[in-house]
Amino acid sequence: MRKLLLLLAILSVPALAATAQQDKMRSCNAEAKAKGLKGDEYKKSRDDCLKAKPQAAAPAAAAAAPAPAATTADGKKLTPQQEKMKKCSAQAKGLKGDEYKKVHDACLKS
């Protein structure tokens, strides 16, 4: 039952959350095509566009948000569940297979 609920949650999230990223991808593709770029130049221009942060939202978000407790390599704040997963993965580091799963699952349940 737990696996079924997880599967349903995974399948429903992309349909709801992908629209902002899809819009950004469409606009970056259109921008690169408008420049008449092709091949590697097209890819580089599109990738640079996708990596760019929105200019208007960045200062407002930085001023309103407190310093994050934990972040990913690209600077995004971790959710409490992600922080717990990171801590439990560190605890089970070095273990393999069933031992890893056992320690990791026990940590997540605590």
Side-chain angles (χ1 to χ4, degrees):
M1 182 66 170
R2 186 173 165 186
K3 289 181 182 180
L4 177 63
L5 291 175
L6 179 62
L7 178 63
L8 290 174
I10 290 171
L11 292 176
S12 66
V13 171
L16 300 174
T19 58
Q21 180 63 23
Q22 287 173 341
D23 289 342
K24 188 171 184 179
M25 185 68 144
R26 279 188 202 105
S27 68
C28 289
N29 281 334
E31 184 180 314
K33 284 182 183 179
K35 292 179 183 177
L37 302 175
K38 295 186 179 191
D40 289 339
E41 291 176 342
Y42 172 86
K43 290 178 185 177
K44 184 176 181 342
S45 174
R46 185 195 59 209
D47 291 346
D48 290 343
C49 175
L50 289 171
K51 290 176 187 173
K53 299 198 188 297
Q55 296 298 327
T71 59
T72 61
D74 58 355
K76 293 182 182 177
K77 184 178 178 184
L78 295 177
T79 65
Q81 179 64 27
Q82 289 172 324
E83 289 177 18
K84 189 170 187 176
M85 288 289 287
K86 189 174 182 178
K87 180 188 79 148
C88 292
S89 293
Q91 260 187 359
K93 187 176 182 178
L95 302 175
K96 301 234 185 254
D98 289 338
E99 290 179 41
Y100 177 90
K101 290 178 187 176
K102 190 175 182 179
V103 171
H104 196 264
D105 288 346
C107 175
L108 289 173
K109 289 178 184 176
S110 64

XYZ file of all heavy atoms in Angstrom:
803
model
N 0.821 -1.184 0.000
C 0.000 0.000 0.000
C 0.869 1.254 0.000
O 0.580 2.204 -0.699
C -0.921 -0.046 1.229
C -1.862 1.108 1.301
S -3.018 1.024 -0.063
C -4.155 2.249 0.400
N 1.933 1.230 0.795
C 2.837 2.366 0.903
C 3.509 2.656 -0.443
O 3.637 3.804 -0.856
C 3.868 2.068 1.976
C 4.772 3.194 2.303
C 5.618 2.827 3.493
N 6.724 3.725 3.633
C 7.684 3.586 4.498
N 7.671 2.578 5.328
N 8.657 4.447 4.578
N 3.902 1.595 -1.138
C 4.539 1.758 -2.446
C 3.562 2.323 -3.462
O 3.931 3.143 -4.297
C 5.102 0.427 -2.933
C 6.303 -0.029 -2.161
C 6.838 -1.327 -2.692
C 8.031 -1.796 -1.871
N 8.574 -3.052 -2.363
N 2.303 1.908 -3.387
C 1.287 2.412 -4.301
C 1.072 3.898 -4.086
O 1.006 4.670 -5.044
C -0.029 1.647 -4.104
C -1.203 2.117 -4.957
C -0.880 1.923 -6.433
C -2.453 1.368 -4.581
N 0.989 4.334 -2.842
C 0.823 5.754 -2.545
C 2.020 6.565 -3.021
O 1.867 7.653 -3.564
C 0.606 5.959 -1.050
C -0.730 5.455 -0.499
C -0.757 5.607 1.011
C -1.878 6.194 -1.130
N 3.206 6.023 -2.823
C 4.412 6.706 -3.275
C 4.419 6.831 -4.795
O 4.729 7.889 -5.338
C 5.661 5.952 -2.800
C 6.994 6.539 -3.219
C 7.164 7.948 -2.648
C 8.124 5.654 -2.743
N 4.041 5.775 -5.478
C 3.987 5.786 -6.937
C 2.977 6.814 -7.428
O 3.259 7.580 -8.352
C 3.640 4.394 -7.470
C 3.509 4.271 -8.975
C 4.846 4.582 -9.642
C 3.043 2.889 -9.358
N 1.814 6.870 -6.808
C 0.808 7.852 -7.198
C 1.290 9.273 -6.961
O 1.044 10.163 -7.767
C -0.494 7.592 -6.444
C -1.257 6.334 -6.851
C -2.438 6.119 -5.927
C -1.703 6.415 -8.293
N 1.976 9.497 -5.869
C 2.507 10.829 -5.573
C 3.555 11.237 -6.587
O 3.568 12.366 -7.066
C 3.088 10.864 -4.168
N 4.412 10.308 -6.956
C 5.471 10.595 -7.929
C 4.872 10.904 -9.290
O 5.317 11.816 -9.983
C 6.466 9.421 -8.005
C 7.276 9.352 -6.722
C 7.379 9.553 -9.216
C 8.134 8.105 -6.605
N 3.866 10.168 -9.663
C 3.253 10.367 -10.968
C 2.452 11.659 -11.053
O 2.357 12.256 -12.117
C 2.351 9.178 -11.321
C 3.072 7.860 -11.568
C 2.059 6.746 -11.803
C 4.032 7.963 -12.736
N 1.891 12.129 -9.958
C 1.071 13.325 -9.989
C 1.883 14.611 -9.891
O 1.473 15.641 -10.399
C 0.028 13.289 -8.881
O 0.652 13.342 -7.626
N 3.039 14.604 -9.271
C 3.835 15.810 -9.062
C 4.352 16.423 -10.364
O 4.211 17.626 -10.553
C 4.991 15.540 -8.069
C 5.950 16.707 -8.023
C 4.424 15.273 -6.690
N 4.936 15.675 -11.289
C 5.441 16.311 -12.491
C 4.378 17.050 -13.285
O 4.644 18.096 -13.859
C 6.013 15.154 -13.306
C 6.336 14.116 -12.309
C 5.306 14.272 -11.232
N 3.162 16.563 -13.295
C 2.100 17.225 -14.032
C 1.775 18.588 -13.432
O 1.416 19.518 -14.143
C 0.858 16.354 -14.047
N 1.918 18.741 -12.123
C 1.604 19.994 -11.470
C 2.780 20.962 -11.438
O 2.611 22.150 -11.606
C 1.147 19.722 -10.032
C -0.092 18.844 -9.878
C -0.330 18.537 -8.411
C -1.301 19.519 -10.495
N 3.978 20.460 -11.206
C 5.129 21.316 -10.950
C 5.954 21.655 -12.184
O 6.781 22.530 -12.136
C 6.027 20.660 -9.913
N 5.748 20.992 -13.284
C 6.625 21.158 -14.431
C 6.316 22.397 -15.252
O 7.113 22.797 -16.076
C 6.560 19.916 -15.319
N 5.203 23.057 -15.066
C 4.817 24.138 -15.954
C 5.784 25.328 -15.915
O 6.087 25.892 -16.961
C 3.398 24.621 -15.657
O 3.339 25.038 -14.300
C 2.381 23.532 -15.914
N 6.270 25.723 -14.768
C 7.195 26.858 -14.699
C 8.495 26.539 -15.432
O 9.015 27.365 -16.191
C 7.481 27.222 -13.252
N 9.020 25.339 -15.228
C 10.246 24.939 -15.907
C 10.004 24.811 -17.407
O 10.847 25.185 -18.209
C 10.779 23.618 -15.333
C 12.055 23.135 -15.988
C 13.242 24.076 -15.793
O 13.271 24.863 -14.862
N 14.218 23.987 -16.662
N 8.854 24.285 -17.778
C 8.532 24.151 -19.198
C 8.429 25.522 -19.853
O 8.903 25.717 -20.975
C 7.229 23.378 -19.381
C 7.368 21.902 -19.094
C 6.038 21.185 -19.123
O 4.978 21.800 -19.010
N 6.085 19.875 -19.248
N 7.822 26.479 -19.158
C 7.723 27.832 -19.698
C 9.104 28.444 -19.890
O 9.376 29.090 -20.910
C 6.891 28.725 -18.774
C 5.420 28.369 -18.794
O 4.975 27.687 -19.745
O 4.710 28.769 -17.848
N 9.984 28.238 -18.915
C 11.339 28.784 -19.023
C 12.079 28.131 -20.187
O 12.774 28.805 -20.946
C 12.099 28.566 -17.716
C 13.434 29.261 -17.685
C 14.059 29.214 -16.317
C 15.354 30.009 -16.305
N 15.978 30.018 -14.991
N 11.905 26.817 -20.345
C 12.562 26.103 -21.441
C 12.051 26.615 -22.790
O 12.840 26.837 -23.710
C 12.307 24.595 -21.300
C 13.041 23.772 -22.308
S 14.796 23.841 -22.009
C 15.243 22.204 -22.431
N 10.742 26.814 -22.887
C 10.177 27.330 -24.142
C 10.743 28.697 -24.478
O 11.114 28.966 -25.616
C 8.654 27.420 -24.034
C 7.961 26.130 -24.264
C 6.434 26.324 -24.345
N 5.804 25.070 -24.043
C 5.202 24.764 -22.905
N 5.126 25.644 -21.932
N 4.666 23.583 -22.727
N 10.801 29.587 -23.487
C 11.291 30.938 -23.765
C 12.779 30.933 -24.115
O 13.216 31.663 -24.999
C 11.020 31.872 -22.588
O 11.788 31.516 -21.474
N 13.560 30.078 -23.466
C 14.990 29.998 -23.773
C 15.214 29.409 -25.172
O 16.088 29.863 -25.905
C 15.727 29.170 -22.725
S 15.852 30.014 -21.123
N 14.425 28.411 -25.538
C 14.528 27.841 -26.880
C 14.159 28.880 -27.930
O 14.834 29.015 -28.947
C 13.624 26.611 -27.026
C 14.229 25.378 -26.422
O 15.436 25.252 -26.305
N 13.378 24.444 -26.022
N 13.084 29.625 -27.679
C 12.647 30.647 -28.627
C 13.705 31.745 -28.774
O 13.968 32.229 -29.882
C 11.324 31.245 -28.168
N 14.317 32.111 -27.647
C 15.362 33.140 -27.672
C 16.563 32.685 -28.504
O 17.094 33.437 -29.318
C 15.796 33.442 -26.235
C 16.797 34.562 -26.097
C 17.168 34.799 -24.646
O 16.259 34.859 -23.796
O 18.377 34.922 -24.375
N 16.984 31.440 -28.328
C 18.127 30.917 -29.076
C 17.795 30.785 -30.559
O 18.628 31.076 -31.427
C 18.563 29.568 -28.513
N 16.571 30.370 -30.874
C 16.161 30.252 -32.285
C 16.078 31.621 -32.942
O 16.425 31.784 -34.107
C 14.810 29.544 -32.393
C 14.899 28.062 -32.191
C 13.543 27.404 -32.349
C 13.627 25.915 -32.064
N 12.321 25.261 -32.195
N 15.584 32.632 -32.190
C 15.455 33.980 -32.733
C 16.821 34.555 -33.116
O 16.922 35.347 -34.056
C 14.762 34.880 -31.724
N 17.846 34.140 -32.405
C 19.204 34.603 -32.718
C 19.765 33.886 -33.935
O 20.827 34.253 -34.428
C 20.135 34.373 -31.525
C 19.819 35.233 -30.327
C 20.768 34.928 -29.189
C 20.438 35.709 -27.946
N 21.316 35.351 -26.815
N 19.087 32.835 -34.397
C 19.540 32.087 -35.562
C 20.710 31.166 -35.260
O 21.473 30.805 -36.152
N 20.857 30.764 -34.009
C 21.963 29.901 -33.608
C 21.668 28.447 -33.954
O 20.513 28.027 -33.985
C 22.222 30.040 -32.118
C 22.543 31.446 -31.619
C 22.648 31.462 -30.113
C 23.824 31.959 -32.251
N 22.728 27.682 -34.164
C 22.594 26.259 -34.463
C 23.696 25.483 -33.763
O 24.734 26.028 -33.425
C 22.657 26.015 -35.963
C 21.511 26.628 -36.717
C 21.523 26.260 -38.168
C 20.323 26.914 -38.810
N 20.077 26.450 -40.138
N 23.442 24.197 -33.551
C 24.451 23.299 -33.002
C 24.893 23.678 -31.604
O 24.087 23.957 -30.720
N 26.222 23.667 -31.421
C 26.789 23.941 -30.098
C 26.486 25.356 -29.607
O 26.281 25.574 -28.415
C 28.304 23.715 -30.102
C 28.660 22.238 -30.203
O 27.806 21.389 -29.867
O 29.797 21.930 -30.618
N 26.453 26.332 -30.537
C 26.132 27.709 -30.141
C 24.709 27.787 -29.598
O 24.438 28.473 -28.607
C 26.287 28.651 -31.331
C 27.712 28.842 -31.784
C 27.800 29.703 -33.036
O 26.784 29.875 -33.738
O 28.904 30.201 -33.306
N 23.788 27.073 -30.252
C 22.398 27.027 -29.812
C 22.311 26.433 -28.404
O 21.670 26.982 -27.518
C 21.574 26.195 -30.797
C 20.157 25.911 -30.364
C 19.144 26.821 -30.629
C 19.832 24.747 -29.691
C 17.843 26.577 -30.242
C 18.541 24.490 -29.289
C 17.543 25.401 -29.572
O 16.265 25.149 -29.171
N 22.980 25.309 -28.196
C 22.949 24.641 -26.893
C 23.534 25.518 -25.798
O 22.994 25.609 -24.699
C 23.711 23.317 -26.952
C 23.009 22.256 -27.765
C 23.854 21.000 -27.817
C 23.243 19.958 -28.731
N 24.082 18.764 -28.845
N 24.657 26.172 -26.093
C 25.299 27.028 -25.092
C 24.403 28.205 -24.724
O 24.230 28.516 -23.542
C 26.643 27.535 -25.598
C 27.389 28.360 -24.553
C 28.747 28.766 -25.044
C 29.570 29.554 -24.067
N 28.938 30.185 -22.955
N 23.807 28.828 -25.724
C 22.916 29.963 -25.466
C 21.710 29.529 -24.645
O 21.313 30.199 -23.686
C 22.456 30.568 -26.793
O 21.508 31.568 -26.572
N 21.123 28.398 -25.003
C 19.956 27.876 -24.278
C 20.318 27.533 -22.833
O 19.607 27.881 -21.898
C 19.404 26.648 -24.994
C 18.123 26.126 -24.368
C 17.783 24.749 -24.833
N 18.877 23.862 -24.482
C 19.190 22.773 -25.158
N 18.526 22.442 -26.221
N 20.191 21.995 -24.766
N 21.465 26.874 -22.643
C 21.896 26.494 -21.302
C 22.176 27.721 -20.432
O 21.820 27.750 -19.248
C 23.128 25.599 -21.356
C 22.828 24.221 -21.929
O 21.635 23.860 -22.033
O 23.796 23.519 -22.282
N 22.816 28.734 -21.008
C 23.076 29.967 -20.263
C 21.764 30.631 -19.844
O 21.638 31.131 -18.729
C 23.917 30.943 -21.089
C 25.346 30.469 -21.281
O 25.783 29.567 -20.530
O 26.026 31.000 -22.186
N 20.799 30.620 -20.754
C 19.489 31.196 -20.457
C 18.815 30.433 -19.332
O 18.239 31.028 -18.419
C 18.623 31.175 -21.715
S 16.931 31.739 -21.453
N 18.872 29.110 -19.364
C 18.228 28.293 -18.337
C 18.881 28.467 -16.972
O 18.215 28.394 -15.944
C 18.248 26.818 -18.740
C 17.322 26.441 -19.880
C 17.587 25.017 -20.326
C 15.871 26.617 -19.489
N 20.182 28.702 -16.953
C 20.900 28.871 -15.689
C 20.675 30.247 -15.079
O 20.843 30.430 -13.874
C 22.397 28.651 -15.900
C 22.744 27.204 -16.178
C 24.213 27.050 -16.467
C 24.533 25.640 -16.912
N 25.915 25.501 -17.360
N 20.309 31.225 -15.896
C 20.119 32.594 -15.417
C 18.927 32.660 -14.476
O 17.903 32.028 -14.689
C 19.903 33.533 -16.600
N 19.076 33.428 -13.420
C 17.995 33.613 -12.460
C 17.187 34.841 -12.872
O 17.729 35.779 -13.425
C 18.562 33.809 -11.063
C 19.354 32.625 -10.579
C 19.506 32.680 -9.090
C 20.432 31.638 -8.560
N 20.074 30.291 -8.744
N 15.882 34.854 -12.573
C 15.069 36.027 -12.903
C 15.585 37.258 -12.162
O 15.871 37.199 -10.972
C 13.666 35.666 -12.412
C 13.679 34.199 -12.189
C 15.107 33.793 -11.986
N 15.685 38.374 -12.847
C 16.251 39.589 -12.268
C 15.335 40.211 -11.217
O 15.790 40.665 -10.187
C 16.537 40.620 -13.373
C 17.589 40.163 -14.360
C 18.940 39.920 -13.699
O 19.303 40.583 -12.745
N 19.683 38.957 -14.216
N 14.038 40.254 -11.449
C 13.119 40.923 -10.531
C 12.916 40.125 -9.246
O 12.782 40.697 -8.183
C 11.781 41.143 -11.220
N 12.885 38.825 -9.345
C 12.585 38.000 -8.174
C 13.794 37.797 -7.264
O 13.634 37.594 -6.076
C 12.053 36.640 -8.618
N 14.986 37.852 -7.784
C 16.176 37.550 -6.993
C 16.386 38.502 -5.810
O 16.562 38.040 -4.690
C 17.409 37.526 -7.890
N 16.348 39.839 -5.984
C 16.561 40.717 -4.834
C 15.462 40.595 -3.779
O 15.728 40.615 -2.592
C 16.579 42.124 -5.434
C 16.865 41.936 -6.876
C 16.309 40.583 -7.229
N 14.219 40.457 -4.192
C 13.117 40.357 -3.243
C 13.232 39.067 -2.429
O 13.009 39.063 -1.229
C 11.783 40.399 -3.978
N 13.552 37.974 -3.087
C 13.668 36.690 -2.388
C 14.844 36.704 -1.419
O 14.756 36.166 -0.323
C 13.821 35.559 -3.397
N 15.946 37.321 -1.803
C 17.122 37.362 -0.953
C 16.866 38.211 0.296
O 17.331 37.885 1.387
C 18.318 37.905 -1.730
N 16.122 39.287 0.159
C 15.855 40.157 1.294
C 14.850 39.538 2.256
O 14.938 39.728 3.465
C 15.327 41.504 0.794
N 13.885 38.775 1.742
C 12.824 38.228 2.576
C 13.225 36.934 3.282
O 12.744 36.651 4.358
C 11.580 37.974 1.725
N 14.080 36.147 2.679
C 14.400 34.827 3.218
C 15.580 34.894 4.190
O 16.593 35.524 3.904
C 14.733 33.874 2.087
N 15.459 34.218 5.336
C 16.603 34.132 6.245
C 17.647 33.176 5.686
O 17.374 32.438 4.753
C 15.985 33.574 7.531
C 14.771 32.846 7.079
C 14.286 33.566 5.854
N 18.825 33.188 6.262
C 19.889 32.313 5.791
C 19.473 30.851 5.972
O 19.016 30.468 7.044
C 21.179 32.583 6.562
N 19.611 30.025 4.923
C 19.190 28.630 5.023
C 20.117 27.812 5.913
O 21.310 28.052 5.981
C 19.242 28.130 3.581
C 20.203 29.042 2.906
C 20.095 30.358 3.607
N 19.534 26.838 6.596
C 20.318 25.977 7.477
C 21.186 25.028 6.673
O 22.334 24.800 6.989
C 19.388 25.199 8.397
N 20.627 24.452 5.628
C 21.362 23.527 4.777
C 20.992 23.799 3.332
O 19.848 24.085 3.016
C 21.020 22.088 5.147
N 21.984 23.714 2.460
C 21.737 23.974 1.048
C 22.378 22.903 0.189
O 23.269 22.184 0.634
C 22.309 25.339 0.625
O 23.710 25.351 0.886
C 21.635 26.476 1.358
N 21.924 22.843 -1.056
C 22.515 21.926 -2.026
C 23.712 22.611 -2.667
O 24.000 23.769 -2.382
C 21.494 21.541 -3.110
O 21.087 22.728 -3.789
C 20.283 20.844 -2.514
N 24.366 21.923 -3.564
C 25.546 22.478 -4.228
C 25.198 23.713 -5.050
O 26.018 24.616 -5.199
C 26.192 21.426 -5.118
N 23.972 23.772 -5.583
C 23.588 24.928 -6.386
C 22.915 26.031 -5.564
O 22.381 26.976 -6.113
C 22.704 24.509 -7.554
C 21.438 23.797 -7.126
O 21.284 23.531 -5.923
O 20.608 23.512 -7.999
N 22.941 25.907 -4.229
C 22.460 26.969 -3.362
C 21.000 26.880 -2.977
O 20.497 27.761 -2.304
N 20.283 25.849 -3.379
C 18.875 25.714 -3.032
C 18.738 25.203 -1.601
O 19.511 24.369 -1.158
C 18.173 24.756 -3.990
C 18.083 25.290 -5.400
C 17.344 24.331 -6.293
C 17.306 24.857 -7.706
N 16.650 23.912 -8.600
N 17.728 25.714 -0.893
C 17.492 25.310 0.496
C 16.902 23.901 0.539
O 16.046 23.551 -0.251
C 16.528 26.288 1.149
C 16.286 26.016 2.599
C 15.361 27.038 3.201
C 15.102 26.688 4.648
N 14.128 27.600 5.239
N 17.390 23.106 1.470
C 16.871 21.752 1.645
C 15.615 21.794 2.504
O 15.529 22.557 3.459
C 17.906 20.864 2.327
C 19.187 20.577 1.566
C 20.131 19.733 2.415
C 18.901 19.860 0.264
N 14.657 20.940 2.173
C 13.460 20.806 2.997
C 13.828 19.997 4.241
O 14.864 19.320 4.254
C 12.341 20.074 2.233
O 12.769 18.733 1.974
C 11.998 20.792 0.935
N 13.003 20.029 5.277
C 13.307 19.220 6.473
C 13.473 17.732 6.140
O 14.341 17.069 6.706
C 12.102 19.459 7.378
C 11.610 20.808 6.984
C 11.850 20.904 5.509
N 12.641 17.225 5.214
C 12.766 15.814 4.835
C 14.098 15.558 4.133
O 14.758 14.552 4.378
C 11.601 15.402 3.923
C 11.666 13.962 3.459
C 11.557 12.953 4.596
O 10.964 13.234 5.620
N 12.134 11.791 4.429
N 14.533 16.480 3.277
C 15.812 16.321 2.596
C 16.972 16.372 3.583
O 17.949 15.636 3.440
C 15.975 17.403 1.523
C 15.076 17.202 0.329
C 15.109 18.393 -0.617
O 15.202 19.543 -0.192
N 15.036 18.109 -1.900
N 16.859 17.264 4.581
C 17.904 17.334 5.604
C 18.004 16.018 6.363
O 19.102 15.532 6.642
C 17.621 18.483 6.572
C 17.819 19.845 5.960
C 17.461 20.969 6.920
O 17.389 20.733 8.148
O 17.262 22.097 6.442
N 16.843 15.438 6.694
C 16.827 14.164 7.412
C 17.420 13.054 6.545
O 18.203 12.225 7.025
C 15.400 13.809 7.828
C 15.325 12.633 8.762
C 13.931 12.469 9.329
C 13.919 11.401 10.398
N 12.616 11.266 11.030
N 17.074 13.037 5.256
C 17.619 12.029 4.337
C 19.147 12.158 4.256
O 19.867 11.165 4.266
C 17.020 12.186 2.937
C 15.575 11.772 2.826
S 15.334 10.016 2.945
C 15.964 9.497 1.373
N 19.619 13.387 4.199
C 21.060 13.623 4.116
C 21.765 13.118 5.375
O 22.802 12.464 5.305
C 21.321 15.118 3.914
C 22.749 15.461 3.612
C 22.890 16.944 3.293
C 24.306 17.281 2.947
N 24.463 18.693 2.593
N 21.169 13.410 6.534
C 21.748 12.970 7.808
C 21.768 11.442 7.895
O 22.782 10.834 8.266
C 20.946 13.545 8.976
C 21.471 13.147 10.348
C 20.535 13.575 11.444
C 19.433 12.578 11.483
N 18.780 12.249 12.683
N 20.671 10.811 7.497
C 20.587 9.347 7.571
C 21.516 8.679 6.558
O 22.097 7.631 6.844
C 19.145 8.889 7.356
S 18.053 9.366 8.721
N 21.664 9.271 5.397
C 22.594 8.730 4.405
C 24.026 8.806 4.917
O 24.823 7.893 4.702
C 22.475 9.487 3.085
O 21.220 9.252 2.502
N 24.344 9.894 5.616
C 25.683 10.036 6.182
C 25.924 8.992 7.267
O 27.025 8.453 7.396
C 25.875 11.439 6.740
N 24.885 8.703 8.047
C 25.009 7.690 9.097
C 25.265 6.310 8.508
O 26.019 5.523 9.075
C 23.706 7.621 9.914
C 23.759 8.345 11.201
C 22.493 8.098 12.026
O 21.580 7.408 11.614
N 22.456 8.704 13.190
N 24.622 6.012 7.388
C 24.739 4.680 6.784
C 25.895 4.592 5.790
O 26.091 3.548 5.170
C 23.430 4.318 6.087
N 26.665 5.650 5.673
C 27.768 5.672 4.715
C 28.764 4.548 5.009
O 29.093 4.271 6.155
C 28.493 7.017 4.785
C 29.538 7.208 3.715
C 30.127 8.596 3.795
C 31.143 8.779 2.685
N 31.697 10.120 2.691
N 29.227 3.919 3.958
C 30.188 2.843 4.102
C 29.534 1.469 4.147
O 30.201 0.463 3.945
N 28.233 1.433 4.412
C 27.519 0.162 4.429
C 26.986 -0.131 3.029
O 26.808 0.774 2.233
C 26.363 0.217 5.430
C 26.746 0.529 6.876
C 25.499 0.664 7.722
C 27.657 -0.553 7.432
N 26.696 -1.390 2.778
C 26.203 -1.766 1.456
C 24.971 -2.645 1.576
O 24.778 -3.331 2.577
C 27.284 -2.530 0.691
C 28.573 -1.756 0.503
C 28.942 -1.717 -0.941
C 30.291 -1.047 -1.106
N 30.225 0.256 -1.626
N 24.144 -2.609 0.554
C 23.003 -3.507 0.428
C 22.029 -3.445 1.578
O 21.563 -2.380 1.978
N 21.699 -4.620 2.115
C 20.691 -4.727 3.166
C 21.096 -3.992 4.445
O 20.242 -3.418 5.130
C 20.394 -6.195 3.488
C 19.633 -6.889 2.375
O 18.976 -6.181 1.577
O 19.702 -8.128 2.286
N 22.399 -3.993 4.755
C 22.859 -3.287 5.954
C 22.587 -1.791 5.827
O 22.116 -1.153 6.764
C 24.352 -3.515 6.178
C 24.718 -4.923 6.596
C 26.223 -5.072 6.781
O 26.851 -4.152 7.338
O 26.751 -6.113 6.362
N 22.897 -1.241 4.653
C 22.662 0.185 4.403
C 21.181 0.499 4.566
O 20.806 1.452 5.253
C 23.140 0.557 2.997
C 22.862 1.993 2.628
C 23.780 2.995 2.893
C 21.658 2.365 2.020
C 23.523 4.315 2.566
C 21.385 3.678 1.691
C 22.323 4.651 1.964
O 22.060 5.954 1.644
N 20.328 -0.298 3.914
C 18.887 -0.064 3.973
C 18.367 -0.132 5.402
O 17.531 0.681 5.813
C 18.145 -1.086 3.109
C 18.357 -0.885 1.628
C 17.633 -1.969 0.841
C 17.975 -1.879 -0.624
N 17.366 -2.968 -1.390
N 18.861 -1.099 6.166
C 18.406 -1.286 7.536
C 18.753 -0.069 8.392
O 17.896 0.466 9.100
C 19.053 -2.542 8.110
C 18.508 -2.986 9.428
C 19.153 -4.311 9.845
C 18.604 -4.814 11.135
N 19.214 -6.096 11.531
N 19.991 0.392 8.327
C 20.421 1.546 9.112
C 19.699 2.813 8.648
O 19.212 3.613 9.450
C 21.950 1.719 9.031
C 22.393 3.038 9.646
C 22.651 0.557 9.691
N 19.605 2.982 7.336
C 18.963 4.164 6.756
C 17.491 4.217 7.144
O 16.982 5.276 7.582
C 19.132 4.136 5.241
C 18.861 5.460 4.588
N 17.654 5.770 4.051
C 19.669 6.534 4.377
C 17.703 6.985 3.532
N 18.916 7.466 3.729
N 16.776 3.103 7.015
C 15.350 3.064 7.354
C 15.121 3.317 8.844
O 14.196 4.030 9.225
C 14.745 1.715 6.960
C 14.601 1.568 5.455
O 14.716 2.585 4.731
O 14.391 0.419 4.995
N 15.971 2.739 9.692
C 15.850 2.935 11.136
C 16.048 4.404 11.480
O 15.338 4.979 12.313
C 16.836 2.068 11.890
N 16.996 5.029 10.833
C 17.262 6.457 11.074
C 16.066 7.295 10.650
O 15.656 8.219 11.360
C 18.525 6.872 10.317
S 18.876 8.638 10.422
N 15.489 6.996 9.492
C 14.355 7.781 8.998
C 13.122 7.630 9.892
O 12.338 8.559 10.036
C 13.997 7.367 7.569
C 14.995 7.788 6.496
C 14.614 7.185 5.157
C 15.081 9.298 6.399
N 12.966 6.469 10.498
C 11.807 6.235 11.360
C 11.946 6.888 12.713
O 10.958 7.123 13.406
C 11.576 4.736 11.534
C 11.067 4.093 10.276
C 10.889 2.590 10.441
C 10.466 1.961 9.133
N 10.379 0.504 9.247
N 13.165 7.201 13.111
C 13.366 7.804 14.436
C 13.079 9.283 14.432
O 12.984 9.938 13.488
C 14.792 7.566 14.911
O 15.711 8.213 14.056
